[in-house]
Amino acid sequence: INLMTLAGLALGAGMLVDNAVVVVENVHRLREEGLSRFEAARRGAVEVGPAITVGSCLLLLIAGFWIEHVIRG
């Protein structure tokens, strides 16, 4: 395993944890507003799902262009 692979794994793990924290905080907020556990989990994931998806895809796109720029010089 080379350094680039380890960096990619670290970035992926960090994104996973960060996105999970965002969803859990949103579910916690909805629970405090009085929703049931199931409804809070469903609505919490639906509310932030598109933002997390767009953010992750944008980061992958930027990383792809950066890697291509580094390789081609």
Side-chain angles (χ1 to χ4, degrees), residues 4-20 56 59-60:
M4 192 70 121
T5 303
L6 289 174
L9 288 171
L11 180 65
M15 287 178 57
L16 178 68
V17 170
D18 185 48
N19 291 342
S56 297
L59 184 65
L60 291 173

Side-chain angles (χ1 to χ4, degrees), residues 2 4 11 14-15 23 28 30-31 42 51 56 58-59 63 66 69-70 72:
N2 62 16
M4 192 70 121
L11 180 65
M15 287 178 57
V23 173
H28 180 69
L30 292 172
R31 286 284 289 154
R42 190 188 67 74
S56 297
L58 183 63
L59 184 65
W66 180 78
H69 175 72
V70 168
R72 296 214 176 161

Side-chain angles (χ1 to χ4, degrees), residues 13 15-16 20 31-33 46-47 49 53 67 69:
M15 287 178 57
L16 178 68
R31 286 284 289 154
E32 287 181 340
E33 291 178 3
V46 167
E47 285 179 2
T53 303
I67 290 171
H69 175 72

